[in-house]
Amino acid sequence: MSRRTRWMVTLLVVAQLGLILACGSGGVVATRGPRWACPSPTPLPYGEAGPIKEIITHTRPITEGGDWEEIIYYAEWEQEYPDAGGPPFPSPTPYALVGTSYLFGQRVEVWPVHVQVDASAGPPVTSPGVAAGSQQLYYIDITWDNHALEPFVMPYGERVRLRAVTSPAGAVLSDARWGMTNLSLQLANMEPPPDLVPPGVSQVRIPVLAPPGEPETVDLLFAANPDYVPLLPTSTTLPGTPTPTVGGAPPTPTLAPNDELRASEAPLLTVQWSNATWVPPQAEPCADPGALTDWSGEEVAWGVPAALQVAAPPGADRLIQIVLNQVGKPYIWGAKGPEAFDCSGLATWSYAQIGINIPQGTAGQWPHMRPVEQHALQPGDLIFFDIAGRGRIDHVGVLAGDLDGDGRWDMVHAASPRLGVRADYGVFESAYYAPRIRGFRTAR
Amino acid sequence: MLTHLFRPMLLLLVLLLLAGCAAPLTYAEVQATAQVTGCWPDPFPTPRAVTVTPADSGPVEPPLPTTTPYPRCPPAPGATQVPWPTPVPNPPPYPTMEPRPWQGGSDQQTTLFLPSNVLTIDLATHPTERWAAVGAVVWSGNRDPERAFVSVYHPQSRVWSPAHQVDIGPSQLGRYSRTVAVAISGDRTVHAVWGMSDPDFRDNDPPSGIWAGSSTDFGTSWSPPLRIASDCRRVNDLAATLDGTLVAQLICNDGPDRSVPALVVRRPDGTWLPPERLPIPAWYFSEGSLVIVGEGDDARAVGILFAGQGGLPMAYLISKRLADAGPWHVEARPIVAPGGELGERMWHVRGLVFERPSGDPQPAPGIIFTWTDAEAGGAYALTSLDGGLSWGPVERIAAPQHAGEQLAFVAPAYDPAADRLVAVWTCCAFALFATPETTHYASWSVPGSGVWRPGTDAARVPLVFGARSAFETVIAQARNSRSGWIAWIERQQRVELRSFELNQIVPVDQYQLPGGQP
C-alpha cells in the first residue's frame, strides 16, 4: 500500500469515525426530507423570497431616468407548472416539504441515500410459545443506494417496523411493536443483518413476526440531522448554498406552570411505505410524482408554523383527481368543504389541497386570477358563468379535461343544492351552460 | 486581508453595474465570475451543480474535487441576504411530561400512525375503572376506503392493543360520513359505533347506515358488525352504563333534503331498539354529545345537539329516563354567549358527568357540555348541577386573543378533590391538512359559577402533554377519578394518548385543604 493510499484510507476511517460519533445513537442520517426518486418538482420559496426568474431591461430616455430593469420572480404556481416560455423553476432544493408516505417498491431519496422498501408475507409460525395461528413471518426487503463514501449505521431492530397488516378477514391491524427480534430471525433461519449500510448498492431482508395477513405499511426511521454534511465522491452541494444554520432563535417558551417538565428528544424522520391503492388517472405512478406524498411531511417541517403550505407536488392530474373525488357531495351555499361545497368553495378547497391558494368566492376569483383564453385552457382551469343572466358572475366550475373520452371539455362543479357536486360533460356544447359562459381563469 | 475581501466586492459591483445596463448574464458568465471572485454572486438564482477542482488539491492524486461549495458573495451595501436555499430548521423543544409510574395509566403513546390523515377520534373509559379505548377514523387520501380503528388499553397488562379496523365487510365506511364513537360498559365490553354512507347519496342507494361492533377481549377481536340504524349518516356520541345500556346520538336523513337527530338505545341484554327520530331541524353535519346519569331504572340520558336557526346558533337539550317508554324531552335554547358574537355553527362537542362532594347520600350529578365556535373560535360550556333538569347560562371558557386565532377543540374533566371543572383546549390554529404549532391549554372553574380561570385576557396556561401540532383533542375520565385520559391527533397522522393527573393542572390555591394541593 502506497503512502498516498494509506493516507486516503486513514482519511476515510477518520471521517467514518467522526460520523459514527456524530450520529450518537446511530442510524442513517437524513440531511433533508424524503422525496420521490422519480423526477419530482419540489416546493421552493417563490416571489421575492425565491430566486429571480428573469431580469427585463427596459429602454427609457436618459431624461426620464434612463434604462431600468424589471425583476421578475417566480410565481407560486410555477413550482409545479413549468412555464412554457421562461426558464424553469430551479429544482430541486434540500428543503422539501413533500411528505413521508410512499408505495411499496417505490424508490425514495432520503439524502444521501436512495432506499426502496418492499414487503411480503411469509409462512405461518408454528413454534413453542407462539399460539397456533396467531403469528406469521413477514419479510421486509430494503434496497439501499448509499451515495456517500462511508457506511451508515442502521440498527434494523430499532428502526424498521411492520406498522400494519391486513388480516384475512379484511381488517387492517396497526401496531408499532412488530419489528425484527431474535425470535423472528430464528424462525426465519436468518442471521442478523449487518448494522452498517455500505457505500453503493446493497440489499437486506428483515424478518418480522406479526398477526397473519398481508403487509400493509412499513416504517423506516432515520435519524435526522440537517447540519450533517455527508462525504460524497463529488461535489453535489450547489454552489451558493450557505452553510445550514438554525433558522432564527427557537421560540421562547411562555413561562407557565409545568415548565419544568419540558424536554426535547432527538428528531427522527419516519418514512412509510404501504400498499395503498392508488391508480393515477391516465398515468403511471412516476408520471404523477408525489401523489401519495400529499398529506404528511411533518418531520421535515419541524415546528415550522406552516410557512410552506404546499404539501403536495401537484400536477393537473392530481387536482382533477381531488375534484372528482368530491362528486356526490352536497351543495350548501357558503360551504367551503370538505363535507359540502358551494361553487367557488369547491375550487378554492381543491386547489388548497395541492398547496395553491386561490381567492375565495367568485367575486374574488374572477377579478383576481389570471385570465386565460379558451384555446389555452388546461384541466384545472376555472370556467365562470352568468347563470342568472343578470350581467354578473354567479357560478364557477373546474374544467376537468375530457372525462368521457368524447373529445369535449367536461367540468366538475358544485351545481346547486338539488344537484350537489357533479360532473357535466361537453360544457362548451351544452345548450344550458354554453350560452352562460363568461370566461376563464387559471392558477397556472 | 482587506484586499482579499475587496476583490470579490469590486468584481461583484462591476458585475451588478454591467447587469444594470445589459442583458442578464448567462449562467456560464455568472459561473466564470464566481471562479474569479471566489464567491457566488448573491442576487443570482442558485445554479446547477458544478464541480470545482482546486489548484492545490493536496497530497491525494489524482486530485479529488473539492466538496466545499462557493460561499455566497456578501450582499450589496444596504441589502439583506436572503437565505437560499432555506435551511432546515432544527426542531424546537416541545412540552412533554417525564415518564412516571402510573397507576392505571400510561405515558404518552402513539396508538395509530398510518400514511393517511386521521379525521376524527373518540375516547372512552370504563365507567368506574381507569382503562380506556380510543376510536379513530382514517382518511385514505387515495382509492383505499376510509377506515375506523379502535385500540383498547388492557387494565392488567397495561398495553394498548393493536389498532383494529372495525368497519369491515358491508359496514365499511363510505367516503362522506366519517364518524366513530366508542364506549365501555360495566362488563368490560368495548363498544364501537360508526357511520357508514353510500358514496353517492343523491339516490341513497344503497341506503346509508350506522353500524356497531363490540369486543370482549380488550380489542383483540371484534364481533361481526351489526347494522343498528338505516338512512342515518353520522354518530355524534355513544354513552354506556355499568349494566350495559348504550345510547347513541345519530344524525339521520329525513327525506332527500333534511336531516334530523335520532337516538338509538341498546338494552343490557344486547338488543338494539329502533332509532327514535326527533323533530329537530338539524344539519347533516350537526354535532352533539350525550351522557348518562344514574344507573338502572334511574338512568337518564341527557344530550345536546347544535344546529342553526335564522343564522343564530341553537342548542337542543335532549333528555329521557331510559326506563320510560315515553318520548324524548327536547328543549330548544338559543345560544347567547358572553363577550362577543357567535357564529352559527357550534362543533366539537364533548360531555362529562361529575359528582360533587356532598353530604347528601344521593347527590344530584353535575353535567357539563363543552364545545367551540366554528367561526369565532371561542370555547364554551353549559353546566347543570342537577343532572340536566336545569342549566346555567352559556359560559365562556376561553377566547382568541388575536385575529386569526382559533380555539378549535375543547374537552372537559373534573377534579373531585378540588371540586373544579377543567377544560383542556387547543390553540391557536385549525388545520387538518397542515401542521401548525398548536398545543394544549387549560382553564378551570367552580362548577356552576360560570367563571373560568385564567380569564380571557390573562396569560394562558399551556399544558405539557407533548403535542406540537395538536388537532382534535378528547378526554375521558372514569367517574370522579383523579386522573383522566387525553387523546389527540398529532401532526395529522398520529393518535397520541396519555394519562394525566388533574392536580397537575388545577392550581394549588384551588384546593380547600389545609396543605393545599393533595
Side-chain angles (χ1 to χ4, degrees):
Chain A
M1 184 182 288
S2 70
R3 184 182 167 197
R4 288 194 180 96
T5 308
R6 283 200 304 272
W7 191 91
M8 192 160 62
V9 169
T10 304
L11 183 68
L12 289 175
V13 168
V14 169
Q16 179 180 336
L17 185 62
L19 168 70
I20 293 173
L21 290 173
C23 290
S25 60
V28 169
V29 178
T31 59
R32 58 197 192 207
R35 303 182 302 173
W36 272 38
C38 302
S40 173
T42 51
L44 299 172
Y46 57 93
E48 293 186 4
I52 295 172
K53 175 182 177 183
E54 196 175 0
I55 299 176
I56 302 173
T57 302
H58 295 273
T59 305
R60 189 164 52 182
I62 192 70
T63 54
E64 297 176 13
D67 294 351
W68 62 283
E69 291 181 351
E70 180 184 6
I71 299 177
I72 307 296
Y73 294 92
Y74 288 88
E76 184 177 11
W77 54 267
E78 289 179 290
Q79 298 170 60
E80 313 301 347
Y81 297 85
D83 192 11
F89 201 95
S91 179
T93 173
Y95 189 9
L97 185 64
V98 296
T100 54
S101 304
Y102 303 90
L103 294 172
F104 279 146
Q106 198 174 354
R107 181 178 154 95
V108 174
E109 177 193 290
V110 188
W111 194 250
V113 301
H114 281 84
V115 56
Q116 183 174 335
V117 172
D118 214 335
S120 56
V125 169
T126 53
S127 173
V130 177
S134 68
Q135 296 283 283
Q136 175 184 308
L137 269 174
Y138 293 83
Y139 300 111
I140 298 172
D141 295 302
I142 305 174
T143 302
W144 297 99
D145 189 353
N146 179 5
H147 300 288
L149 288 173
E150 64 271 337
F152 287 106
V153 178
M154 188 65 186
Y156 290 103
E158 304 167 11
R159 297 290 172 84
V160 180
R161 289 286 179 274
L162 180 61
R163 172 65 71 165
V165 302
T166 302
S167 74
V172 173
L173 309 179
S174 177
D175 205 345
R177 290 164 289 201
W178 301 329
M180 185 182 71
T181 61
N182 289 335
L183 180 59
S184 70
L185 286 165
Q186 177 189 334
L187 292 169
N189 196 23
M190 294 171 59
E191 293 294 321
D195 276 355
L196 286 179
V197 178
V201 177
S202 61
Q203 292 181 321
V204 68
R205 168 167 276 201
I206 309 295
V208 173
L209 278 178
E214 293 293 325
E216 177 72 23
T217 302
V218 167
D219 290 358
L220 207 52
L221 273 65
F222 299 85
N225 179 6
D227 294 338
Y228 170 65
V229 179
L231 183 61
L232 300 170
T234 58
S235 170
T236 54
T237 306
L238 302 179
T241 303
T243 302
T245 54
V246 177
T252 304
T254 307
L255 289 177
N258 295 336
D259 266 4
E260 73 279 5
L261 296 173
R262 287 175 184 272
S264 61
E265 65 183 18
L268 287 175
L269 174 70
T270 303
V271 184
Q272 296 185 314
W273 282 259
S274 76
N275 74 342
T277 308
W278 184 78
V279 183
Q282 303 171 352
E284 295 300 317
C286 263
D288 194 354
L292 281 182
T293 68
D294 42 6
W295 312 127
S296 57
E298 74 286 357
E299 280 88 355
V300 183
W302 292 300
V304 177
L308 287 177
Q309 288 284 356
V310 180
D317 287 347
R318 180 62 181 153
L319 178 78
I320 299 308
Q321 183 189 26
I322 290 170
V323 174
L324 286 171
N325 277 345
Q326 314 314 313
V327 170
K329 292 190 178 182
Y331 176 105
I332 292 180
W333 189 86
K336 303 305 178 193
E339 292 184 317
F341 298 94
D342 65 7
C343 61
S344 61
L346 175 66
T348 304
W349 183 88
S350 300
Y351 266 100
Q353 304 318 299
I354 60 170
I356 296 177
N357 295 319
I358 65 172
Q360 295 200 351
T362 52
Q365 292 163 353
W366 174 253
H368 294 122
M369 291 181 67
R370 192 167 73 162
V372 59
E373 298 298 324
Q374 183 172 344
H375 65 80
L377 288 174
Q378 294 285 332
D381 291 344
L382 304 184
I383 180 170
F384 290 80
F385 301 89
D386 176 8
I387 295 291
R390 290 178 293 196
R392 64 182 182 85
I393 300 297
D394 58 9
H395 189 61
V396 61
V398 180
L399 286 167
D402 180 15
L403 296 174
D404 55 357
D406 65 355
R408 302 190 296 183
W409 279 96
D410 307 321
M411 74 168 173
V412 176
H413 60 144
S416 69
R418 187 172 63 86
L419 299 173
V421 179
R422 55 181 271 155
D424 273 291
Y425 301 93
V427 61
F428 292 118
E429 292 76 23
S430 163
Y432 180 78
Y433 288 112
R436 293 171 167 81
I437 295 172
R438 290 296 174 268
F440 315 95
R441 294 291 184 269
T442 183
R444 287 181 284 127
Chain B
M1 179 67 181
L2 285 175
T3 306
H4 180 71
L5 287 176
F6 181 72
R7 189 176 66 166
M9 290 292 292
L10 181 64
L11 285 169
L12 182 63
L13 186 62
V14 171
L15 186 73
L16 290 173
L17 289 173
L18 287 172
C21 54
L25 297 176
T26 65
Y27 166 74
E29 289 168 334
V30 175
Q31 185 185 27
T33 304
Q35 287 178 330
V36 172
T37 61
C39 63
W40 195 264
D42 185 51
F44 287 90
T46 305
R48 295 182 293 273
V50 293
T51 298
V52 180
T53 303
D56 179 11
S57 52
V60 181
E61 289 180 2
L64 286 176
T66 179
T67 56
T68 304
Y70 281 130
R72 298 172 78 188
C73 295
T80 302
Q81 191 174 51
V82 178
W84 175 256
T86 309
V88 177
N90 280 329
Y94 65 97
T96 185
M97 279 184 184
E98 290 179 344
R100 53 146 295 157
W102 292 95
Q103 294 183 349
S106 82
D107 296 308
Q108 184 177 350
Q109 298 196 24
T110 303
T111 59
L112 194 64
F113 178 18
L114 290 176
S116 303
N117 274 42
V118 180
L119 288 179
T120 184
I121 54 175
D122 189 31
L123 182 67
T125 56
H126 185 277
T128 56
E129 302 170 4
R130 291 183 295 179
W131 55 280
V134 62
V137 174
V138 176
W139 184 33
S140 68
N142 49 52
R143 294 192 178 183
D144 285 338
E146 273 75 71
R147 296 180 173 116
F149 292 87
V150 179
S151 295
V152 181
Y153 186 75
H154 197 292
Q156 274 85 48
S157 67
R158 299 184 179 180
V159 170
W160 284 92
S161 72
H164 199 299
Q165 184 187 354
V166 294
D167 64 312
I168 59 174
S171 73
Q172 207 164 59
L173 287 174
R175 301 187 80 86
Y176 306 111
S177 182
R178 301 149 176 161
T179 51
V180 64
V182 291
I184 304 174
S185 51
D187 62 355
R188 295 188 163 188
T189 300
V190 179
H191 306 270
V193 174
W194 59 95
M196 188 279 292
S197 70
D198 165 27
D200 183 356
F201 59 74
R202 287 172 294 177
D203 57 2
N204 204 30
D205 179 25
S208 54
I210 303 293
W211 295 74
S214 60
S215 171
T216 57
D217 54 7
F218 301 103
T220 303
S221 62
W222 285 81
S223 66
L226 177 68
R227 190 183 185 96
I228 62 171
S230 296
D231 206 15
C232 298
R233 316 186 58 78
R234 175 185 179 88
V235 53
N236 277 342
D237 206 355
L238 179 67
T241 64
L242 279 172
D243 66 6
T245 299
L246 300 179
V247 185
Q249 184 190 92
L250 314 177
I251 296 293
C252 300
N253 297 332
D254 183 25
D257 302 321
R258 289 168 17 113
S259 298
V260 294
L263 284 304
V264 58
V265 176
R266 174 190 179 269
R267 288 178 175 152
D269 64 5
T271 307
W272 285 92
L273 302 178
E276 297 177 61
R277 297 176 180 232
L278 307 184
I280 295 174
W283 299 311
Y284 77 94
F285 49 83
S286 283
E287 298 188 26
S289 182
L290 186 76
V291 297
I292 298 177
V293 294
E295 282 291 337
D297 289 344
D298 294 330
R300 291 176 64 247
V302 180
I304 192 169
L305 180 87
F306 286 101
Q309 206 172 72
L312 299 174
M314 183 72 77
Y316 296 91
L317 292 159
I318 306 163
S319 62
K320 181 182 178 180
R321 183 170 171 266
L322 294 173
D324 293 343
W328 289 78
H329 178 260
V330 178
E331 174 192 345
R333 176 171 176 158
I335 294 298
V336 180
E341 289 189 3
L342 293 174
E344 186 176 8
R345 183 180 181 186
M346 304 293 121
W347 62 357
H348 305 147
V349 194
R350 301 290 298 179
L352 179 75
V353 178
F354 57 95
E355 296 174 7
R356 304 184 73 184
S358 163
D360 189 338
Q362 289 188 319
I367 301 173
I368 181 172
F369 290 117
T370 61
W371 69 90
T372 56
D373 180 336
E375 296 173 31
Y380 300 93
L382 203 56
T383 308
S384 168
L385 300 180
D386 55 9
L389 299 177
S390 64
W391 297 86
V394 173
E395 305 163 16
R396 187 167 67 167
I397 298 171
Q401 292 181 343
H402 307 288
E405 284 188 352
Q406 187 168 16
L407 282 55
F409 301 95
V410 60
Y414 176 71
D415 185 348
D419 186 27
R420 293 293 184 271
L421 285 165
V422 171
V424 175
W425 40 278
T426 64
C427 190
C428 296
F430 177 81
L432 174 58
F433 298 130
T435 55
E437 285 187 16
T438 305
T439 191
H440 296 114
Y441 296 84
S443 300
W444 51 89
S445 168
V446 176
S449 69
V451 178
W452 288 81
R453 301 290 182 202
T456 301
D457 298 325
R460 293 166 169 166
V461 178
L463 298 175
V464 279
F465 288 145
R468 279 181 277 189
S469 181
F471 191 64
E472 181 170 12
T473 298
V474 292
I475 287 176
Q477 185 183 7
R479 288 180 190 171
N480 277 25
S481 168
R482 297 292 315 282
S483 64
W485 286 93
I486 183 167
W488 70 92
I489 301 170
E490 175 71 23
R491 283 169 283 169
Q492 314 167 53
Q493 287 179 275
R494 311 177 190 208
V495 176
E496 300 284 326
L497 280 139
R498 74 168 314 121
S499 300
F500 66 96
E501 291 174 346
L502 284 150
N503 64 3
Q504 288 193 299
I505 296 179
V506 178
V508 173
D509 60 10
Q510 300 294 301
Y511 290 84
Q512 299 172 351
L513 298 175
Q517 188 170 359

